[in-house]
Amino acid sequence: MGKIFAIANQKGGVGKTTTAINLAASLAMLEKSVLLVDADPQANSSSGLGLEVGNIDCTIYDCLINGADPHEAIYTTDVPNLDIISSHVTLAGAERELFAINEGRELLMKKMLTPMKSEYDFILIDCSPSLGSITVNAITAADSVIIPVQCEYFALEGIAQLLNTIKLIKRKLNPDLQIEGFLLTMYDGRLKLANQIYNEVKRHFEDLVFKTVIQRNVKLSESPSHGLPVILYDADSTGAKNHLALAKEIISKNG
C-alpha cells in the first residue's frame, strides 16, 4: 500500500514545487512507482515536467469538480516510473465551486486518491501557496505532510498557522495525519543567516527536521525551463544529489 504526502506551506517561494518535482523524480529513479498530483492552479509542477498545460484534456479540476475518473487524468513523464495528474488555471475557480458543495467537500481529493494507493508506492501532492479549500483537501487526503522551509529571513513566518491547520484537520477530518518533516531549502552554508535559521528550525522542531538539506543550486533553477527534473537535466549537480539523498531518507523512514 502506497503513501500520500502533501507538500505544503502557505508561504510562497519556499521551494514547494521544486521539492515536488525533484523528490518525485528521485523516488522514481530509485525504482519506486510515483504519482505527482499538481494541486496548484499555476501548474508549475506540470510544466516543470514537460507537459504542455494548455493541451491537457483532463486535469485535477475535472476530477474534483466534474467527477472525472482520475485514471483519465494521468500522464506519463520522461522519468521512468513517474506519472502526473496535471493542474490548470481553472483550478483557481474551484475554491468558489467547492463552497457550493454542502457536505464532504473537504474529502473529495481523499476519495479520488485513496484507491490509487494500491497502484503507486508514493503519491505526492504539490499544494498551492494558500490554506484554501484545495490545500485543505490535499492535507485531508495525505498520510503525512512535508513542509519546505526556506533558509531566509521570515522563514518561520506563517508556520504556526499551517501547524494549526494541520492540527484542526487531524482532529476533524484525518486523525492519522502526521508531519513527515520540515525540509530546509535554499540553504547556503556560507551565509550566517542560513545557519541561524537552520539552528532555529532544529531547535523548534528537533527530530521532525529532515537530515537532508536542499542547497542553493543554479541547475535547480534552470531545469524547469527545460521541462526536466534536475536529475535528468544534470545528474551530477548539487540539486540532484540533495534530492536523491532526500528520497533515500524518505524511503528509509517508510520502508
Side-chain angles (χ1 to χ4, degrees), residues 96-161:
R96 188 172 60 254
E97 293 175 67
L98 285 173
F99 276 114
I101 300 172
N102 292 325
E103 195 173 330
R105 61 174 171 249
E106 301 92 350
L107 301 172
L108 291 173
M109 202 177 299
K110 187 180 186 74
K111 288 176 182 174
M112 169 188 153
L113 293 179
T114 297
M116 303 181 84
K117 290 169 71 172
S118 62
E119 302 172 38
Y120 293 94
D121 296 314
F122 295 102
I123 298 174
L124 274 58
I125 309 171
D126 180 19
C127 297
S128 65
S130 76
L131 290 176
S133 298
I134 303 296
T135 299
V136 168
N137 254 270
I139 296 174
T140 301
D143 297 298
S144 201
V145 184
I146 295 171
I147 304 172
V149 180
Q150 85 280 31
C151 291
E152 294 181 355
Y153 199 55
F154 295 136
L156 297 179
E157 187 182 65
I159 291 291
Q161 188 183 357

Side-chain angles (χ1 to χ4, degrees), residues 4-245:
I4 301 176
F5 296 109
I7 301 173
N9 187 333
Q10 79 274 23
K11 193 172 187 300
V14 301
K16 282 189 301 297
T17 297
T18 299
T19 299
I21 291 170
N22 293 295
L23 174 57
S26 296
L27 288 167
M29 294 296 278
L30 292 169
E31 301 186 335
K32 299 296 180 182
S33 57
V34 184
L35 175 65
L36 177 57
V37 180
D38 190 346
D40 184 345
Q42 297 176 84
N44 288 335
S45 277
S46 305
S47 59
L49 282 172
L51 271 70
E52 293 184 21
V53 177
N55 295 331
I56 299 293
D57 292 326
C58 189
T59 71
I60 188 172
Y61 173 87
D62 299 293
C63 298
L64 292 176
I65 304 301
N66 300 327
D69 182 345
H71 291 93
E72 294 179 12
I74 293 173
Y75 291 80
T76 57
T77 73
D78 289 336
V79 184
N81 306 314
L82 175 57
D83 294 338
I84 185 169
I85 292 179
S86 178
S87 187
H88 191 270
V89 69
T90 50
L91 191 64
E95 296 280 345
R96 188 172 60 254
E97 293 175 67
L98 285 173
F99 276 114
I101 300 172
N102 292 325
E103 195 173 330
R105 61 174 171 249
E106 301 92 350
L107 301 172
L108 291 173
M109 202 177 299
K110 187 180 186 74
K111 288 176 182 174
M112 169 188 153
L113 293 179
T114 297
M116 303 181 84
K117 290 169 71 172
S118 62
E119 302 172 38
Y120 293 94
D121 296 314
F122 295 102
I123 298 174
L124 274 58
I125 309 171
D126 180 19
C127 297
S128 65
S130 76
L131 290 176
S133 298
I134 303 296
T135 299
V136 168
N137 254 270
I139 296 174
T140 301
D143 297 298
S144 201
V145 184
I146 295 171
I147 304 172
V149 180
Q150 85 280 31
C151 291
E152 294 181 355
Y153 199 55
F154 295 136
L156 297 179
E157 187 182 65
I159 291 291
Q161 188 183 357
L162 174 61
L163 294 178
N164 284 336
T165 300
I166 290 171
K167 193 183 296 183
L168 194 66
I169 291 171
K170 185 178 173 74
R171 189 168 75 241
K172 295 194 169 185
L173 296 165
N174 188 356
D176 297 322
L177 181 65
Q178 302 292 324
I179 293 175
E180 189 71 14
F182 291 83
L183 175 67
L184 287 152
T185 64
M186 307 178 198
Y187 177 77
D188 186 340
R190 298 167 299 179
L191 300 178
K192 184 179 178 182
L193 177 63
N195 289 296
Q196 286 174 338
I197 289 166
Y198 176 86
N199 291 330
E200 188 177 357
V201 173
K202 284 289 286 183
R203 182 172 59 83
H204 269 83
F205 302 112
E206 300 177 337
D207 292 341
L208 281 176
V209 181
F210 284 107
K211 293 182 177 68
T212 305
V213 172
I214 308 301
Q215 295 166 269
R216 279 199 176 278
N217 181 238
V218 172
K219 300 296 183 183
L220 265 182
S221 303
E222 291 176 352
S223 58
S225 65
H226 296 269
L228 293 170
V230 72
I231 201 163
L232 291 188
Y233 180 63
D234 187 344
D236 290 325
S237 66
T238 299
K241 291 173 182 175
N242 287 167
H243 284 92
L244 204 55

